[in-house]
Amino acid sequence: MALTLQQRVGRAGLILGPVLALALHFALPETFTNAQGQVVAFSLAGRATLAMMAWMATWWMTEAVDIEVTALLPIAAFPLAGIMPLARTTANYGADVIFLFLGGFVLALAIQRWGLDRRIAFATLKLVGTRPKAIVGGTMAATAFVSMWVSNTATAAMMVPIVLSVIDVALRRRTGRGLAEHGGIPLEDRDLSNFAFSALLGVAYAASIGGLGTIIGSPPNGILVRFVEQSAGIRIGFLEWMAIGVPMMLAFLPLAWFLNTTLLFPSRMGEIEGGREYVRDEWAKLGALNAGERVTLGVFAVTVVLWMSSPLLKDWSVGGMRPLAGLSDAGIAILAAIALFLLPVDRAQGIRAMDWATAQKLPWGVLILFGGGLALAAATEANGVPQYIGALAADFAGWPVWAALLAIITIMVFMSELTSNTAQVATMLPILAALAPVLGLPAGMLLVPATIAASCAFMMPVGTPPNAIVFGTGLVRMPQMIRAGLWLNLTGILVIFVLTYLVVVPTLGAGR
């Protein structure tokens, strides 16, 4: 059986990773000249760290093994190579941001378990009506909101069947036959096919865009938050991230909708006959809020309020004491998770809002991937790798700030089309942190837009899980996804670039 291109790349990467690491380790100099013209020793641990970075990046980019397996390499290799002791290495796999995501994942599973996400979706459709542009706008808005709190993969998996049902209703009203009978979307009906493409791709786009809004919305956000805290001592709280991510989301989402429905896939269809009835019937099937939904919604609301108000709560004092000084975003997330395991939904049957059978569906691999990325970032900081990279990047010092920023955002967006955005950010953050002072940029002005850019891959099915889910329906072809995605990529680059100056710099401060 012939190997696919991905399998051939993976096999080559499996060998190339350690070979490249070994070659780089022996090729790296023992000294280098820093930006001040001083000769500085480059330690054995520093050279080994850079070699391991090359190894892990190669395996991540070629997917030689599962990306979570690559993330375990530091535990075995760092102590052996003298990069970092085992205790310091494994501490990164228990970083606070990992528990922030763990609690967020439990909350998301509860939302899915009791159907609260589906209720949000149909409430939005009920509100916006059944005109094609309104349907696309409504589903994109609902998808983006849910994706702020639930993984973009789960959000897309939930929304795509809903959108397919609406498309099927529209097709039956126009032709008397549904998607199954047609064997797909009939391309001869341009208005209908454009509506279908815009609705399906809109879900993929909105799931990724919505993930920008909160720290737990997308794994790269969490990697960045932890990296800047351990490397620069700068803490980005939940509310502080929302001050950056929500404006990004609110600026990008309407532009994505406009491009999708007006320029890329315009449709002159009027209100979908039978659409209101379909939405009304599905809403009626949901009935009143069940006990599980009520409990989950209550925990969710309290958690969001605590995340947003934690800076004020930590400063609250009683009799000269601050009883909530130890409050943290991760602690709030775990308290929410514990509450879901404790709060009853049906006392008689002993059913609670969350149980361990459901919790076992947690994306544990993402948490391991976090740990590997944080371990790599910690090793680069501890062993002087940023100083060496900064010396190599001295030639970029003459670049205008705007040109350097635009180039890096563009590189991160298009690189993410072919690699895991979490692995990409874990690899690139230490490099970009070293590059920032060479370019005369505050670290935050470079790291934040670069991280956001890594979540804005819209062209390829492998770019993000939502892209893959929509492509997996078999209804969207590669040329359509690439053509539409290219415009979204370019729009995303522009939005991130502009809002870096308007939002990121004012929020984080010029010195960060």
Side-chain angles (χ1 to χ4, degrees):
M1 185 176 177
L3 295 175
T4 65
L5 176 60
Q6 178 57 51
Q7 288 172 325
R8 289 197 293 270
V9 170
R11 287 193 176 186
L14 191 64
I15 299 168
L16 182 61
V19 169
L20 183 60
L22 195 62
L24 189 60
H25 180 67
F26 286 110
L28 287 169
E30 295 183 4
T31 61
F32 63 91
T33 304
N34 64 16
Q36 290 75 38
Q38 302 166 327
V39 177
V40 179
F42 195 21
S43 67
L44 181 64
R47 301 198 299 275
T49 301
L50 201 51
M52 279 304 304
M53 182 186 288
W55 184 343
M56 293 176 70
T58 301
W59 275 15
W60 270 332
M61 287 189 287
T62 62
E63 294 187 47
V65 294
D66 292 328
I67 58 176
E68 295 84 359
V69 175
T70 302
L72 291 171
L73 264 178
I75 298 174
F78 281 13
L80 287 174
I83 293 172
M84 208 157 59
L86 181 62
R88 286 184 61 194
T89 302
T90 54
N92 293 284
Y93 292 80
D96 57 347
V97 72
I98 290 177
F99 288 95
L100 171 60
F101 270 79
L102 178 62
F105 287 155
V106 172
L107 186 59
L109 282 174
I111 289 171
Q112 293 172 255
R113 182 187 188 193
W114 299 107
L116 194 56
D117 51 356
R118 187 172 173 84
R119 185 178 294 275
I120 292 169
F122 277 106
T124 306
L125 286 175
K126 195 165 175 281
L127 181 67
V128 300
T130 54
R131 290 187 175 276
K133 282 189 177 183
I135 290 174
V136 175
T139 54
M140 288 181 73
T143 301
F145 176 76
V146 174
S147 190
M148 290 172 67
W149 317 100
V150 178
S151 81
N152 57 13
T153 307
T155 304
M158 181 269 296
M159 288 299 300
V160 164
I162 294 173
V163 168
L164 286 175
S165 298
V166 175
I167 294 170
D168 190 72
V169 169
L171 186 55
R172 287 184 185 280
R173 290 296 185 271
R174 287 173 75 91
T175 67
R177 295 184 298 163
L179 285 169
E181 292 92 334
H182 277 282
I185 299 169
L187 299 180
E188 62 274 10
D189 188 336
R190 189 66 176 270
D191 289 328
L192 178 63
S193 63
N194 277 359
F195 161 63
F197 294 142
S198 65
L200 284 167
L201 288 172
V203 167
Y205 301 154
S208 295
I209 294 169
L212 305 178
T214 64
I215 291 176
I216 63 170
S218 181
N221 303 352
I223 292 280
L224 169 70
V225 166
R226 179 60 182 172
F227 175 79
V228 296
E229 186 171 355
Q230 71 182 19
S231 63
I234 297 171
R235 185 182 178 278
I236 301 176
F238 205 91
L239 185 60
E240 197 169 20
W241 178 271
M242 288 186 72
I244 296 169
V246 171
M248 288 277 183
M249 183 185 79
L250 293 179
F252 196 3
L253 195 64
L255 288 172
W257 169 80
F258 176 79
L259 283 171
N260 201 19
T261 59
T262 304
L263 299 181
L264 297 170
F265 302 107
S267 175
R268 295 170 297 177
M269 280 176 59
E271 186 167 337
I272 295 173
E273 186 183 347
R276 288 187 181 275
E277 289 79 2
Y278 165 73
V279 173
R280 186 188 62 219
D281 291 346
E282 291 298 315
W283 178 259
K285 288 177 187 176
L286 292 173
L289 281 170
N290 60 49
E293 285 179 292
R294 291 197 298 272
V295 171
T296 303
L297 184 60
V299 172
F300 172 75
V302 171
T303 303
V304 172
V305 169
L306 286 175
W307 272 333
M308 296 180 69
S309 61
S310 61
L312 295 175
L313 292 174
K314 285 191 288 188
D315 290 336
W316 175 59
S317 63
V318 178
M321 298 178 63
R322 293 192 299 161
L324 298 178
L327 194 67
S328 66
D329 291 338
I332 293 167
I334 295 300
L335 279 173
I338 293 171
L340 290 168
F341 280 104
L342 293 177
L343 291 172
V345 169
D346 187 329
R347 290 182 184 275
Q349 298 187 43
I351 298 173
R352 302 177 192 271
M354 178 55 60
D355 56 31
W356 196 250
T358 304
Q360 287 178 338
K361 300 173 186 175
L362 280 168
W364 300 103
V366 172
L367 303 180
I368 292 173
L369 189 57
F370 263 124
L374 294 175
L376 181 61
T380 60
E381 286 294 323
N383 295 318
V385 173
Q387 289 75 22
Y388 177 69
I389 295 172
L392 293 179
D395 291 340
F396 294 98
W399 279 46
V401 169
W402 68 267
L405 179 62
L406 188 59
I408 287 166
I409 292 171
T410 302
I411 290 168
M412 292 295 286
V413 165
F414 285 99
M415 185 188 298
S416 189
E417 293 289 356
L418 301 172
T419 63
S420 157
N421 59 2
T422 306
Q424 175 188 339
V425 167
T427 305
M428 293 299 294
L429 285 184
I431 296 172
L432 295 175
L435 192 59
V438 175
L439 296 171
L441 288 170
M445 189 176 173
L446 192 57
L447 298 179
V448 173
T451 299
I452 291 172
S455 295
C456 295
F458 303 106
M459 287 174 58
M460 303 292 289
V462 297
T464 64
N467 290 5
I469 289 169
V470 168
F471 189 76
T473 62
L475 300 178
V476 178
R477 295 177 175 84
M478 185 71 82
Q480 293 155 343
M481 181 167 274
I482 290 176
R483 180 175 69 91
L486 176 61
W487 281 102
L488 265 292
N489 280 10
L490 296 175
T491 303
I493 291 167
L494 182 61
V495 169
I496 296 167
F497 177 74
V498 172
L499 291 190
T500 296
Y501 288 96
L502 297 181
V503 176
V504 175
V505 174
T507 300
L508 294 183
R512 297 165 70 176

